[in-house]
Amino acid sequence: NAGVTQTPKFRVLKTGQSMTLLCAQDMNHEYMYWYRQDPGMGLRLIHYSVGEGTTAKGEVPDGYNVSRLKKQNFLLGLESAAPSQTSVYFCASAGGAFGRVTFGVETQYFGPGTRLLVL
Amino acid sequence: AQSVTQPDIHITVSEGASLELRCNYSYGATPYLFWYVQSPGQGLQLLLKYFSGDTLVQGIKGFEAEFKRSQSSFNLRKPSVHWSDAAEYFCAVGYTGTASKLTFGTGTRLQVTL
């Protein structure tokens, strides 16, 4: 099992350009998450999904869009990149049964990250 | 709103010395607590987690953590640090019914001197 993979590993954009980050997981997890990591600020949740076809906003969603068309993939889009979006982006996935309330907190498994520089 | 505090931004210890990294959470409900480690240029790896039961939990790489409800703390410990433990450590908290979302602390960077 590859676990959680992210594509690309590194990208440089100019202000105003768009791009899509791809996250894939092979653990059949229902929940998927996108975080950004900035120095001194830990990880902040951008968007998340509780199952195929669902998305929800996290703590810092502005400037980002997401889609979960397939259970194993979670895409993060930047429509018009800004220098403030320079960051390291992490994807994570966690177990859960769609349509059934999960009373616990599933462990999140992380990808290796995508380093994005916006000039 | 829930929050996690890691008061130490940077800690330096000598190889072979003991280690304690502090973590405090702020919320009234029963927390699910996690410690993750991040090596430079890598993703986050789970060290250990606490859900319920015994308040002292064992993790990988010789780490352990103790949950103290009265102090709202979940400190990470290791009796003898190895140079390979140099990394950044994150404490995180989650709660039931929240789609397993986690709130992370800002991290503690551990430096190990030989």
Side-chain angles (χ1 to χ4, degrees):
Chain A
N1 287 351
V4 180
T5 58
Q6 294 183 230
T7 308
K9 290 183 171 55
F10 177 70
R11 184 76 182 267
V12 179
L13 289 179
K14 294 181 179 178
T15 297
Q17 288 185 318
S18 63
M19 78 163 294
T20 301
L21 282 66
L22 171 64
C23 175
Q25 53 95 3
D26 61 3
M27 295 174 282
N28 201 34
H29 284 164
E30 291 292 347
Y31 301 155
M32 296 188 75
Y33 312 85
W34 275 109
Y35 294 91
R36 60 178 290 171
Q37 182 181 30
D38 302 292
M41 302 189 75
L43 277 79
R44 293 181 292 168
L45 183 64
I46 304 171
H47 286 281
Y48 66 100
S49 169
V50 298
E52 182 178 311
T54 76
T55 62
K57 294 180 180 180
E59 179 187 356
V60 289
D62 294 342
Y64 305 95
N65 57 74
V66 287
S67 64
R68 184 106 180 261
L69 299 180
K70 293 182 179 180
K71 183 177 182 178
Q72 64 267 33
N73 295 337
F74 195 30
L75 278 63
L76 177 71
L78 285 73
E79 290 186 349
S80 179
S84 61
Q85 294 178 304
T86 292
S87 188
V88 181
Y89 292 86
F90 287 99
C91 176
S93 71
F98 185 65
R100 174 173 70 84
V101 175
T102 300
F103 289 103
V105 176
E106 306 285 348
T107 298
Q108 292 188 19
Y109 296 89
F110 283 80
T114 294
R115 189 174 297 274
L116 176 65
L117 175 61
V118 183
L119 302 175
Chain B
Q2 60 205 47
S3 65
V4 176
T5 301
Q6 294 181 249
D8 303 305
I9 296 172
H10 185 214
I11 284 182
T12 300
V13 300
S14 300
E15 188 175 41
S18 63
L19 171 71
E20 183 169 25
L21 302 182
R22 296 183 291 167
C23 172
N24 291 93
Y25 65 93
S26 173
Y27 195 65
T30 301
Y32 287 62
L33 294 156
F34 301 79
W35 275 101
Y36 284 87
V37 60
Q38 183 183 31
S39 298
Q42 304 295 315
L44 277 72
Q45 180 184 21
L46 179 70
L47 280 177
L48 49 78
K49 58 188 178 185
Y50 171 76
F51 287 175
S52 65
D54 192 347
T55 56
L56 185 64
V57 293
Q58 303 296 321
I60 63 171
K61 305 184 180 185
F63 285 91
E64 65 179 25
E66 185 172 13
F67 171 61
K68 293 185 177 180
R69 186 184 301 277
S70 61
Q71 299 177 18
S72 298
S73 70
F74 188 57
N75 293 350
L76 182 71
R77 302 195 293 248
K78 187 170 185 178
S80 178
V81 171
H82 188 263
W83 64 266
S84 60
D85 293 325
E88 189 150 22
Y89 292 80
F90 292 94
C91 181
V93 65
Y95 296 91
T96 58
T98 64
S100 296
K101 289 184 293 180
L102 296 179
T103 298
F104 284 83
T106 52
T108 297
R109 182 165 298 277
L110 173 66
Q111 183 177 357
V112 181
T113 58
L114 300 177

Coordinates of all heavy atoms in Angstrom, one line a residue, chain A residues 58-108:
Chain A
G58 N -13.0 24.2 6.1 CA -12.3 24.2 7.3 C -12.1 25.5 7.9 O -12.9 26.5 7.7
E59 N -10.9 25.7 8.5 CA -10.6 26.9 9.2 C -10.2 28.0 8.3 O -10.5 29.2 8.5 CB -9.4 26.6 10.2 CG -8.9 27.8 11.0 CD -7.7 27.4 11.8 OE1 -7.3 26.2 11.8 OE2 -7.1 28.3 12.5
V60 N -9.5 27.7 7.2 CA -9.0 28.7 6.2 C -9.3 28.4 4.8 O -8.4 28.2 4.0 CB -7.4 28.9 6.4 CG1 -7.1 29.6 7.7 CG2 -6.7 27.5 6.4
P61 N -10.6 28.4 4.4 CA -11.0 28.0 3.1 C -10.8 29.0 1.9 O -10.9 28.6 0.8 CB -12.4 27.6 3.3 CG -12.9 28.6 4.3 CD -11.7 28.8 5.3
D62 N -10.7 30.3 2.3 CA -10.7 31.3 1.3 C -9.6 31.2 0.3 O -8.4 31.1 0.6 CB -10.7 32.7 1.9 CG -11.9 33.0 2.8 OD1 -13.0 32.3 2.5 OD2 -11.9 33.9 3.6
G63 N -10.0 31.3 -1.0 CA -9.0 31.2 -2.1 C -8.7 29.8 -2.6 O -7.9 29.6 -3.5
Y64 N -9.4 28.8 -2.0 CA -9.3 27.4 -2.4 C -10.6 26.8 -2.7 O -11.6 27.1 -2.1 CB -8.6 26.6 -1.2 CG -7.3 27.1 -0.7 CD1 -7.3 28.0 0.4 CD2 -6.1 26.8 -1.3 CE1 -6.1 28.5 0.9 CE2 -4.9 27.3 -0.8 CZ -4.9 28.1 0.3 OH -3.8 28.6 0.8
N65 N -10.6 25.8 -3.6 CA -11.8 25.0 -3.8 C -11.3 23.5 -3.9 O -10.1 23.2 -4.1 CB -12.5 25.3 -5.1 CG -11.5 25.3 -6.4 OD1 -11.2 24.2 -6.8 ND2 -11.1 26.4 -6.8
V66 N -12.2 22.6 -3.6 CA -11.9 21.2 -3.5 C -13.0 20.4 -4.3 O -14.1 20.9 -4.5 CB -11.8 20.7 -2.1 CG1 -10.5 21.2 -1.4 CG2 -13.0 21.1 -1.3
S67 N -12.6 19.2 -4.6 CA -13.6 18.2 -5.2 C -13.2 16.8 -4.8 O -12.0 16.5 -4.7 CB -13.7 18.4 -6.7 OG -12.4 18.0 -7.3
R68 N -14.2 16.0 -4.6 CA -14.0 14.6 -4.2 C -15.0 13.8 -5.1 O -16.0 13.3 -4.7 CB -14.4 14.4 -2.8 CG -14.1 13.0 -2.3 CD -12.9 12.9 -1.4 NE -12.7 11.5 -1.0 CZ -13.1 11.0 0.2 NH1 -13.7 11.8 1.1 NH2 -12.8 9.8 0.5
L69 N -14.6 13.6 -6.4 CA -15.4 12.9 -7.3 C -15.3 11.4 -7.2 O -16.2 10.6 -7.5 CB -15.1 13.3 -8.8 CG -15.3 14.8 -9.1 CD1 -14.9 15.1 -10.5 CD2 -16.7 15.2 -8.8
K70 N -14.1 11.0 -6.7 CA -13.9 9.6 -6.4 C -13.4 9.4 -5.0 O -12.8 10.3 -4.5 CB -12.8 9.0 -7.4 CG -13.1 9.0 -8.8 CD -12.0 8.3 -9.6 CE -12.4 8.2 -11.1 NZ -11.3 7.6 -11.9
K71 N -13.8 8.3 -4.4 CA -13.5 8.1 -3.0 C -12.0 8.2 -2.7 O -11.6 8.8 -1.6 CB -14.0 6.8 -2.5 CG -13.8 6.5 -1.1 CD -14.4 5.1 -0.7 CE -14.3 4.9 0.8 NZ -14.9 3.6 1.1
Q72 N -11.2 7.8 -3.6 CA -9.8 7.7 -3.3 C -9.0 9.0 -3.6 O -7.9 9.1 -3.2 CB -9.1 6.6 -4.1 CG -9.2 6.7 -5.6 CD -10.4 6.1 -6.2 OE1 -11.4 6.0 -5.6 NE2 -10.2 5.6 -7.4
N73 N -9.7 10.0 -4.2 CA -9.0 11.2 -4.6 C -9.6 12.4 -4.0 O -10.9 12.5 -3.9 CB -9.0 11.4 -6.1 CG -8.2 10.3 -6.9 OD1 -7.3 9.7 -6.3 ND2 -8.5 10.0 -8.1
F74 N -8.8 13.4 -3.6 CA -9.3 14.7 -3.1 C -8.4 15.8 -3.7 O -7.2 15.8 -3.5 CB -9.1 14.7 -1.6 CG -9.9 15.7 -0.9 CD1 -11.1 16.2 -1.4 CD2 -9.5 16.2 0.4 CE1 -11.8 17.2 -0.7 CE2 -10.2 17.2 1.1 CZ -11.4 17.7 0.5
L75 N -9.0 16.6 -4.5 CA -8.3 17.6 -5.3 C -8.5 19.0 -4.6 O -9.5 19.4 -4.2 CB -8.8 17.7 -6.7 CG -8.3 16.7 -7.7 CD1 -8.7 15.3 -7.3 CD2 -8.8 17.0 -9.1
L76 N -7.3 19.7 -4.5 CA -7.3 21.1 -4.0 C -7.0 22.0 -5.1 O -5.9 21.9 -5.7 CB -6.3 21.2 -2.9 CG -6.2 22.6 -2.3 CD1 -7.4 23.0 -1.5 CD2 -4.9 22.7 -1.4
G77 N -7.8 23.0 -5.4 CA -7.6 23.9 -6.5 C -7.3 25.3 -6.0 O -8.0 25.8 -5.0
L78 N -6.4 26.0 -6.7 CA -6.2 27.4 -6.5 C -6.6 28.1 -7.8 O -5.9 27.9 -8.8 CB -4.7 27.7 -6.1 CG -4.2 27.4 -4.7 CD1 -4.1 25.9 -4.6 CD2 -2.9 28.1 -4.5
E79 N -7.6 28.9 -7.8 CA -8.1 29.5 -9.0 C -7.2 30.7 -9.5 O -7.0 30.8 -10.7 CB -9.5 29.9 -8.9 CG -10.5 28.8 -8.8 CD -12.0 29.3 -8.8 OE1 -12.2 30.5 -8.7 OE2 -12.9 28.4 -8.9
S80 N -6.8 31.4 -8.5 CA -5.9 32.6 -8.8 C -4.9 32.8 -7.7 O -5.2 33.4 -6.7 CB -6.8 33.9 -9.0 OG -6.0 35.0 -9.2
A81 N -3.8 32.2 -7.9 CA -2.8 32.1 -6.8 C -2.3 33.5 -6.3 O -2.1 34.4 -7.1 CB -1.6 31.2 -7.2
A82 N -2.1 33.6 -5.0 CA -1.6 34.8 -4.4 C -0.3 34.4 -3.6 O -0.2 33.3 -3.1 CB -2.6 35.4 -3.5
P83 N 0.6 35.4 -3.4 CA 1.8 35.1 -2.6 C 1.5 34.6 -1.2 O 2.2 33.8 -0.6 CB 2.5 36.5 -2.5 CG 2.1 37.1 -3.8 CD 0.7 36.7 -4.0
S84 N 0.3 35.0 -0.6 CA -0.1 34.5 0.7 C -0.4 33.0 0.7 O -0.5 32.4 1.8 CB -1.3 35.3 1.2 OG -2.4 35.1 0.3
Q85 N -0.5 32.4 -0.5 CA -0.8 31.0 -0.5 C 0.5 30.2 -0.6 O 0.5 28.9 -0.8 CB -1.7 30.7 -1.7 CG -3.1 31.3 -1.5 CD -4.0 31.0 -2.6 OE1 -3.8 31.4 -3.8 NE2 -5.2 30.4 -2.3
T86 N 1.7 30.9 -0.6 CA 2.9 30.1 -0.5 C 2.9 29.4 0.8 O 2.8 30.0 1.9 CB 4.1 31.1 -0.5 OG1 4.2 31.7 -1.8 CG2 5.4 30.5 -0.2
S87 N 3.1 28.1 0.7 CA 3.0 27.2 1.9 C 3.4 25.8 1.6 O 3.7 25.5 0.4 CB 1.5 27.3 2.4 OG 1.4 26.6 3.7
V88 N 3.3 25.0 2.6 CA 3.4 23.5 2.3 C 2.0 22.9 2.6 O 1.4 23.2 3.7 CB 4.5 22.9 3.3 CG1 4.5 21.4 3.0 CG2 5.8 23.5 3.1
Y89 N 1.5 22.2 1.6 CA 0.2 21.6 1.7 C 0.3 20.1 2.0 O 1.0 19.4 1.3 CB -0.5 21.9 0.4 CG -0.8 23.4 0.2 CD1 0.1 24.2 -0.4 CD2 -2.0 23.9 0.6 CE1 -0.1 25.6 -0.5 CE2 -2.3 25.3 0.5 CZ -1.3 26.1 -0.1 OH -1.6 27.4 -0.2
F90 N -0.5 19.7 3.0 CA -0.6 18.3 3.3 C -2.0 17.8 3.2 O -3.0 18.5 3.5 CB -0.1 18.1 4.8 CG 1.3 18.3 5.0 CD1 1.9 19.4 5.5 CD2 2.2 17.2 4.7 CE1 3.2 19.6 5.7 CE2 3.5 17.4 4.9 CZ 4.1 18.5 5.4
C91 N -2.1 16.6 2.7 CA -3.3 15.9 2.6 C -3.3 14.8 3.6 O -2.2 14.3 3.9 CB -3.5 15.3 1.2 SG -5.0 14.3 1.0
A92 N -4.5 14.5 4.2 CA -4.6 13.4 5.1 C -5.9 12.6 4.8 O -6.8 13.2 4.3 CB -4.5 13.9 6.5
S93 N -5.9 11.4 5.3 CA -7.1 10.6 5.2 C -7.4 9.9 6.5 O -6.4 9.6 7.2 CB -7.1 9.6 4.0 OG -6.2 8.6 4.2
A94 N -8.6 9.5 6.7 CA -9.0 8.8 8.0 C -10.2 7.9 7.7 O -11.0 8.2 6.8 CB -9.3 9.8 9.1
G95 N -10.2 6.8 8.5 CA -11.3 5.9 8.3 C -12.7 6.4 8.7 O -12.7 7.5 9.3
G96 N -13.7 5.7 8.5 CA -15.1 6.2 8.8 C -16.1 5.5 7.9 O -15.7 5.1 6.8
A97 N -17.3 5.4 8.3 CA -18.3 4.7 7.6 C -19.3 5.7 7.1 O -20.1 6.2 8.0 CB -18.9 3.6 8.4
F98 N -19.3 6.0 5.8 CA -20.3 7.0 5.3 C -21.7 6.6 5.6 O -22.1 5.5 5.4 CB -20.0 7.2 3.8 CG -20.9 8.3 3.2 CD1 -20.7 9.6 3.6 CD2 -21.8 8.0 2.3 CE1 -21.4 10.7 3.0 CE2 -22.6 9.1 1.7 CZ -22.4 10.4 2.1
G99 N -22.5 7.5 6.1 CA -23.9 7.2 6.3 C -24.1 6.7 7.7 O -25.2 6.4 8.1
R100 N -23.0 6.5 8.5 CA -23.2 6.0 9.8 C -22.4 6.9 10.8 O -21.3 7.3 10.5 CB -22.6 4.6 9.9 CG -22.6 4.0 11.3 CD -22.1 2.5 11.3 NE -20.8 2.3 11.0 CZ -19.8 2.4 11.9 NH1 -20.0 2.7 13.1 NH2 -18.5 2.2 11.5
V101 N -23.0 7.3 11.8 CA -22.3 8.2 12.8 C -21.1 7.5 13.4 O -21.3 6.4 13.9 CB -23.3 8.7 13.9 CG1 -22.5 9.5 14.9 CG2 -24.4 9.5 13.3
T102 N -20.0 8.1 13.3 CA -18.8 7.6 14.0 C -18.6 8.3 15.3 O -18.3 9.5 15.2 CB -17.6 7.7 13.0 OG1 -17.8 7.0 11.8 CG2 -16.3 7.2 13.7
F103 N -18.7 7.7 16.4 CA -18.6 8.4 17.6 C -17.1 8.7 18.1 O -16.9 9.5 18.9 CB -19.3 7.6 18.7 CG -20.8 7.6 18.6 CD1 -21.5 6.5 18.1 CD2 -21.5 8.8 18.9 CE1 -22.8 6.6 17.9 CE2 -22.9 8.8 18.8 CZ -23.5 7.7 18.3
G104 N -16.2 8.0 17.5 CA -14.9 8.2 17.8 C -14.2 9.2 16.9 O -14.8 9.9 16.1
V105 N -12.9 9.3 17.1 CA -12.1 10.2 16.2 C -11.1 9.3 15.6 O -10.2 8.7 16.2 CB -11.4 11.3 17.1 CG1 -10.4 12.1 16.2 CG2 -12.4 12.2 17.7
E106 N -11.2 9.1 14.3 CA -10.3 8.3 13.5 C -8.9 8.9 13.4 O -8.7 10.1 13.4 CB -10.8 8.0 12.1 CG -12.3 7.5 12.1 CD -12.4 6.1 12.4 OE1 -11.4 5.4 12.5 OE2 -13.5 5.6 12.6
T107 N -7.9 8.0 13.3 CA -6.5 8.5 13.1 C -6.3 9.0 11.7 O -6.7 8.4 10.8 CB -5.5 7.4 13.4 OG1 -5.7 7.0 14.8 CG2 -4.1 7.9 13.2
Q108 N -5.7 10.2 11.6 CA -5.4 10.7 10.3 C -4.0 10.3 9.8 O -3.1 10.3 10.6 CB -5.5 12.2 10.3 CG -6.9 12.7 10.5 CD -7.0 14.2 10.3 OE1 -6.1 14.9 9.7 NE2 -8.1 14.8 10.8

